[in-house]
Amino acid sequence: MEIKNIYVTRPCLPSLEEYTELLRRIWESKTLTNSGPFHQEFERALAEHLGVKYVAIFANGTLALITALQALRITGEVITTPFSFVATTHSIWWNGIKPVFADITGSDYNIDPVRIESAITPKTTAILPVHVYGNPCNVEAIQKIARTYGLRVIYDAAHAFDVRINGDSVLNFGDLSVLSFHATKVFNTVEGGAIVCHDEETKQRIDYLKNFGYDGETTVIAPGINAKMNELQAAYGLLQLKSVRSCIESRKLVAYKYRELLKGVSGIRCLQDIQGVGHNYGHFPILVEKSNYGVSRDALYDFLRQRNIFPRKYFYPLISNFPTYMGLDSAQPSNLPVANEAAKNVLCLPIYPDLDLGTVATISGLIKTFGRKTV
Ligand SMILES: *Cc1c(COP(=O)(O)O)cnc(C)c1O
């Protein structure tokens, strides 16, 4: 069967009619940015939707990460995971802080609390874990370490929009959580991001920092940056909020279909739902175990691409293996065996709300027949 190009993700878009109406209001008001009415409304609506206290919206997730570290005045060394998108470590680097990599666990690909503890030095001031693929980190263990050693915790929650633990937002853990609203994420504002915080004072500081450090017209409280979200994107985001829950429901159907169809395939392992966790199904990673599947992750990747299916090797290469970071002691592969294995064997399959289940069956069928020892 001839398949048209199937990419790893496709964005959810708001209704064009409704967006046109909001654009008309922006045109009439001529308020385009600088914390206009849509900016303010979107921040309030997000806080309510996510079940968090304060949200500060940003032009993108990377600027939000950089600003989050500034907001807490983080210095010295920050412990983080190499199994993420490069922006996680870049945000540390842009603050003149030394990233220290700690290995992940093989069960959920998140930073391993045991390895965090052994990476702590007198210079460590914070931990920057990532809820990889939206699966929550071991937030309790991380909190305990932070309390014991007096460290701050900033979660890169770029994958964790609407993720809950026993009904509570995962964004309520740690000192700050950072979201990305890039077009490839579960919830998008074309480009965009946010910092979630728990008290008004921190929210105020973040708001100053994202607007050059300005407090009023003539006072600058710190060397801030320009990281504001504009009114066109805030209005778009407001509309998107209405459909994000149903988008997640559709993603769930795709994920469950893959799991059902790939169940008996020897050497292919899918992540399962975690008890008590409300997932967002933003990614569908599979682990390709060559010894059982018969062929490697890379061979499967090439095979699918030749058939116009474009999965992604998230996260290959590991951040610690990019030339910029590979010189760090903590970046040595011997320090990060689990992450290096994951980078070699994980493949993220296409998943998005309007991916039809017939295509999911086609992709699963191809994966099944390509393995040698399929049962
Ligand atoms: C997408 C992403 C970012 C960066 O967000 P942008 O909005 O693209 O700047 C940071 N961290 C992780 C884990 C991401 O997936």
Side-chain angles (χ1 to χ4, degrees), residues 59-65 83-89 130-133 156-159 178-185 190-194 283 315:
N60 61 61
T62 304
L63 283 166
L65 275 171
F83 194 71
S84 181
F85 182 60
V86 280
T88 309
T89 308
V130 181
H131 301 297
V132 178
Y133 310 135
D156 180 337
H159 301 173
V178 177
L179 292 161
S180 165
F181 306 148
H182 185 258
T184 54
K185 315 289 178 178
V190 187
E191 295 265 5
H283 296 80
F315 291 96

Side-chain angles (χ1 to χ4, degrees), residues 287-360:
L287 182 72
V288 183
E289 296 167 317
K290 190 179 171 194
S291 55
N292 291 323
Y293 184 58
V295 284
S296 68
R297 186 275 309 268
D298 288 347
L300 175 61
Y301 171 82
D302 292 338
F303 172 80
L304 291 172
R305 283 180 70 92
Q306 281 154 16
R307 282 151 190 83
N308 299 328
I309 296 157
F310 299 91
R312 293 291 299 267
K313 301 176 190 179
Y314 297 136
F315 291 96
Y316 171 87
L318 276 190
I319 302 176
S320 51
N321 290 336
F322 284 116
T324 320
Y325 299 114
M326 65 197 291
L328 295 166
D329 284 346
S330 64
Q332 301 317 302
S334 57
N335 181 48
L336 307 164
V338 184
N340 276 277
E341 246 340 83
K344 208 168 77 185
N345 297 321
V346 174
L347 192 62
C348 285
L349 301 180
I351 187 165
Y352 44 87
D354 56 351
L355 179 61
D356 78 279
L357 300 182
T359 306
V360 174

Side-chain angles (χ1 to χ4, degrees), residues 78-97:
V78 170
I79 297 170
T80 191
T81 171
F83 194 71
S84 181
F85 182 60
V86 280
T88 309
T89 308
H90 284 351
S91 70
I92 298 172
W93 199 263
W94 272 69
N95 275 285
I97 302 165

Side-chain angles (χ1 to χ4, degrees), residues 160-203:
F161 192 92
D162 250 349
V163 170
R164 287 169 194 263
I165 304 179
N166 298 322
D168 187 16
S169 173
V170 75
L171 308 171
N172 284 325
F173 294 90
D175 293 290
L176 301 174
S177 289
V178 177
L179 292 161
S180 165
F181 306 148
H182 185 258
T184 54
K185 315 289 178 178
V186 166
F187 173 84
N188 85 86
T189 57
V190 187
E191 295 265 5
I195 301 178
V196 169
C197 65
H198 319 306
D199 64 88
E200 190 163 359
E201 200 182 327
T202 308
K203 159 76 168 145

